[in-house]
Amino acid sequence: METNQLGWGAFVAIGLRKQGLSRYQRGRESDILALPAVFVDVDDLDVATLHRLQAIQPHPSCITFTGGGYHAYWWLDDPLSDMKLARKILRGLQRKAGGDALSVVNSLRLPGSRNSKPQRHNALCHIVEQQNSYYPATAFEHLLPRPTKKLAPQRTRQPIRQHRAGNTLNPALLQAVSGHLLHMGYVGRGDWLSGHCLYPHQHQHDDRHPSFGFNTRTGYGNCFRCGSILLKDICLTLGIQPADYGGLYI
C-alpha cells in the first residue's frame, strides 16, 4: 500500500498461480491453478450499473467501487480448475453486466487502495456490499452460450472448396485486447496503447520504464527490447482465446 500512496495502482490477482513467477509476472493461463471466484469489471460510474450488477442471478458475493466503476465477485464452493469453463463463465458475466472483456489471469483493484489514474482523482476503492454466499460452477450455466445444432452436411456433386480465413483482423478481438490493456493501465494516444511490456522477464530491469505499444488498428505490438509481436502471441500472453470472439480473422 506504500507504493499506492506514491501513485502506483494496487491490484489483487484472483487466480491461484503456480510457484516460481517473478514479482512482475502475472503469468499466462497455463500458470493458473484454479479460480476461487469468478468476477466482472464494469467501467461505468452510473448508479444503474450498480443496480444491474445487483440484479444478476446468482447475486454477487461482493461488489466493490473502483473509482471508475464497479467490480463484482462470486465466491465458488470449490476453486474452478477447468479454465475453458472459467473463460465461458467470465464471458457470460461480461455479456450480462455489460462489462469489460476479462481473462482468468486478470488482476482487479484492491479495496482500500486509491485509483491512481489521473482522471479518477485518487478515488478510494471500497466494498459496496458483501455477503457470505458461495456458489457451485453449475449456478452459472444459464449464462453460458447454448450449443448450436449442427446440420448434417448435404451431399453434392460439386467439389467442396476449403474455406480460408480472410486477411482482416477480427474487430471484436481487437476490442477485447484493447480493453484488457486499458484495464491494465495502458494509456491511449491515437491508434496506440502504451504501457509496460508483456514480457518484463526479457528486460534487464523488468521494463521499469514502459516500452511497449499496441496498435489498436493493425493488431501489432511493438517493444523496444522484444521487437514486433503478433496479435495471436499477445492473446496467448493475456490469456485471451480468439475463438471466444469468433477467431483471429473475419
Side-chain angles (χ1 to χ4, degrees), residues 97-164:
D100 296 336
L102 300 180
S103 71
V104 297
V105 302
N106 267 105
S107 299
L108 301 181
R109 289 195 179 274
L110 181 66
S113 67
R114 297 280 179 177
N115 191 323
S116 55
K117 289 184 177 180
Q119 65 272 31
R120 302 308 186 197
H121 308 293
N122 209 34
L124 177 65
C125 305
H126 62 273
I127 295 175
V128 177
E129 63 175 60
Q130 183 175 352
Q131 57 185 16
N132 192 30
S133 298
Y134 290 78
Y135 303 101
T138 54
F140 304 91
E141 287 182 346
H142 64 287
L143 298 175
L144 304 182
R146 296 182 179 180
T148 56
K149 185 177 181 181
K150 295 183 179 180
L151 299 177
Q154 296 181 351
R155 294 184 178 182
T156 175
R157 295 181 180 179
Q158 297 295 328
I160 300 176
R161 296 181 180 180
Q162 182 179 359
H163 173 72
R164 293 184 178 180

Side-chain angles (χ1 to χ4, degrees), residues 20-185:
L21 297 179
S22 68
R23 178 180 179 183
Y24 295 101
Q25 283 183 285
R26 295 188 315 129
R28 302 182 180 183
E29 182 177 306
S30 58
D31 295 313
I32 305 298
L33 296 174
L35 285 182
V38 289
F39 45 88
V40 70
D41 173 19
V42 186
D43 285 333
D44 188 345
L45 293 169
D46 196 307
V47 68
T49 300
L50 176 59
H51 295 162
R52 188 164 65 250
L53 290 172
Q54 292 171 327
I56 294 178
Q57 294 299 322
H59 191 83
S61 306
C62 180
I63 298 178
T64 64
F65 176 73
T66 66
Y70 298 89
H71 291 163
Y73 304 82
W74 289 261
W75 316 140
L76 298 176
D77 284 337
D78 296 302
L80 183 59
S81 58
D82 184 342
M83 293 298 106
K84 183 177 180 180
L85 176 58
R87 290 197 307 270
K88 290 182 178 180
I89 293 176
L90 293 183
R91 181 70 171 164
L93 289 171
Q94 175 206 346
R95 288 193 297 265
K96 190 70 174 179
D100 296 336
L102 300 180
S103 71
V104 297
V105 302
N106 267 105
S107 299
L108 301 181
R109 289 195 179 274
L110 181 66
S113 67
R114 297 280 179 177
N115 191 323
S116 55
K117 289 184 177 180
Q119 65 272 31
R120 302 308 186 197
H121 308 293
N122 209 34
L124 177 65
C125 305
H126 62 273
I127 295 175
V128 177
E129 63 175 60
Q130 183 175 352
Q131 57 185 16
N132 192 30
S133 298
Y134 290 78
Y135 303 101
T138 54
F140 304 91
E141 287 182 346
H142 64 287
L143 298 175
L144 304 182
R146 296 182 179 180
T148 56
K149 185 177 181 181
K150 295 183 179 180
L151 299 177
Q154 296 181 351
R155 294 184 178 182
T156 175
R157 295 181 180 179
Q158 297 295 328
I160 300 176
R161 296 181 180 180
Q162 182 179 359
H163 173 72
R164 293 184 178 180
N167 294 324
T168 302
L169 289 172
N170 185 348
L173 181 60
L174 288 172
Q175 183 178 4
V177 172
S178 299
H180 193 108
L181 293 175
L182 286 170
H183 181 78
M184 291 171 57

Side-chain angles (χ1 to χ4, degrees), residues 156-250:
T156 175
R157 295 181 180 179
Q158 297 295 328
I160 300 176
R161 296 181 180 180
Q162 182 179 359
H163 173 72
R164 293 184 178 180
N167 294 324
T168 302
L169 289 172
N170 185 348
L173 181 60
L174 288 172
Q175 183 178 4
V177 172
S178 299
H180 193 108
L181 293 175
L182 286 170
H183 181 78
M184 291 171 57
Y186 276 53
V187 178
R189 177 176 294 179
D191 292 332
W192 287 91
L193 298 177
S194 302
H196 290 282
C197 181
L198 301 177
Y199 310 96
H201 56 283
Q202 297 188 21
H203 293 251
Q204 184 176 0
H205 300 291
D206 290 321
D207 197 28
R208 185 178 303 167
H209 302 289
S211 64
F212 182 81
F214 175 73
N215 191 293
T216 59
R217 182 175 55 84
T218 65
Y220 275 96
N222 186 73
C223 172
F224 297 142
R225 172 67 177 82
C226 306
S228 297
I229 305 172
L230 298 177
L231 179 61
K232 64 182 182 66
D233 296 321
I234 295 174
C235 289
L236 180 63
T237 301
L238 296 178
I240 294 176
Q241 300 294 323
D244 291 344
Y245 300 89
L248 194 62
Y249 300 101
I250 58 173

